[in-house]
Amino acid sequence: AFIAMIPHTRQFYTESGGYTIYPYLLQIFFFALERNFIRFLTGRAMVPYSNVFGWVCIILSVPAVNLLLSHYWCRKMWWIIFEPSWLDPLLFDTPNKTLSAFNGKDMTKDISCTSQTSVGELVRIVSDKSGISSQKLGVYFDDTRLGGEGQMQNLEELSDFRITKVLNVSVDWSAVAWFRGETRIKINAYGGYGSLDFLFSAFWVVFWLGLIALTKRSVPLPIHHHSPTVAGHQNATAVHHHAILS
């Protein structure tokens, strides 16, 4: 029964399953921020045990939090800490092979093609996988347009035999495609993380840590008052000890 519950096809959460280290480590920062906001709204550091509705909401939100903290852009915000590939040039002779987030969405694992694949065929494959109209797609290599859906020559020929192997395929983000008026399919457009990726990640790490510190300072800590019973008991104990010493 347990095996039958395991998905046998690719789902919307499949990619997140390979990055569970992010929710595992980021929960420290996430729940610190959440605790500050709960204290701001309720005056308490956590949801009271008697608040059944609050605890139900927290339990039901766990899957959503895991998906959020393992999301593509969340990983790009924190990669300089959890995936410090920017240290590769200092530690290793070979550069890292991670695709920059600013190249677009990495579709290498979803698309099977070689240097002998025609441009038109690649456009149709990407169109089927992404849902983008083939008329709005164009194949690019080294910022040079190789063609669109009507181009039947293969990638190797159109690139003057510079594409001997397809290492990765990335597709423009929708906002970038809207600005350009065309969605670019980029062949072998990596080079590892660049300075733009580093600055992007560094900005968001500082932003989130600063937000946690700011919300913690802006929310007054609850003042614990001793009850009269406890205070009376402490005074009685002190008098008793004084009498014994006397």
Side-chain angles (χ1 to χ4, degrees), residues 26-41:
L26 285 176
Q27 63 176 322
I28 302 171
F29 305 102
F30 179 84
F31 288 119
L33 188 60
E34 181 189 49
R35 183 172 60 252
N36 293 343
F37 278 107
I38 290 176
R39 184 183 292 146
F40 174 77
L41 295 173

Side-chain angles (χ1 to χ4, degrees), residues 3-239:
I3 296 177
M5 294 173 62
I6 300 175
H8 293 76
T9 58
R10 187 177 181 85
Q11 305 293 330
F12 69 92
Y13 50 80
T14 301
E15 183 180 2
S16 298
Y19 297 95
T20 52
I21 188 66
Y22 276 85
Y24 178 73
L25 296 175
L26 285 176
Q27 63 176 322
I28 302 171
F29 305 102
F30 179 84
F31 288 119
L33 188 60
E34 181 189 49
R35 183 172 60 252
N36 293 343
F37 278 107
I38 290 176
R39 184 183 292 146
F40 174 77
L41 295 173
T42 66
R44 298 171 178 268
M46 62 180 294
V47 177
Y49 292 111
S50 59
N51 191 335
V52 177
F53 176 76
W55 281 104
V56 169
C57 290
I58 289 176
I59 294 172
L60 294 178
S61 68
V62 169
V65 171
N66 275 276
L67 288 174
L68 174 66
L69 297 182
S70 59
H71 188 268
Y72 179 85
W73 283 107
C74 186
R75 301 197 306 269
K76 298 310 174 188
M77 289 180 186
W78 292 89
W79 73 270
I80 61 173
I81 295 178
F82 301 140
E83 297 181 63
S85 54
W86 51 277
L87 292 173
D88 282 3
L90 302 177
L91 302 175
F92 308 106
D93 295 331
T94 56
N96 71 83
K97 301 296 182 182
T98 309
L99 184 66
S100 168
F102 295 95
N103 282 336
K105 182 179 180 181
D106 185 9
M107 299 190 68
T108 309
K109 296 180 180 179
D110 302 321
I111 295 173
S112 177
C113 67
T114 67
S115 60
Q116 300 302 313
T117 303
S118 69
V119 168
E121 183 182 355
L122 177 59
V123 167
R124 287 191 292 274
I125 294 173
V126 172
S127 178
D128 292 340
K129 294 288 185 179
S130 64
I132 303 172
S133 171
S134 59
Q135 297 178 348
K136 297 181 179 179
L137 293 169
V139 179
Y140 283 76
F141 172 71
D142 199 18
D143 290 328
T144 301
R145 194 177 193 278
L146 302 183
E149 63 175 336
Q151 179 58 262
M152 292 297 103
Q153 284 186 277
N154 63 44
L155 297 172
E156 188 176 41
E157 294 172 348
L158 290 171
S159 65
D160 294 330
F161 300 94
R162 287 182 294 166
I163 300 178
T164 57
K165 184 179 180 180
V166 176
L167 300 175
N168 64 70
V169 179
S170 59
V171 178
D172 273 344
W173 300 110
S174 56
V176 177
W178 176 84
F179 180 78
R180 287 175 172 167
E182 180 186 46
T183 302
R184 294 186 176 185
I185 303 171
K186 302 174 186 177
I187 308 297
N188 297 354
Y190 82 40
Y193 283 125
S195 56
L196 190 60
D197 299 273
F198 186 92
L199 292 174
F200 176 84
S201 182
F203 168 81
W204 284 108
V205 168
V206 173
F207 173 83
W208 289 117
L209 294 180
L211 184 61
I212 293 171
L214 182 64
T215 53
K216 184 175 182 179
R217 293 186 60 184
S218 63
V219 178
L221 293 173
I223 300 175
H224 299 284
H225 298 283
H226 294 292
S227 65
T229 304
V230 174
H233 176 71
Q234 290 177 341
N235 291 334
T237 303
V239 170

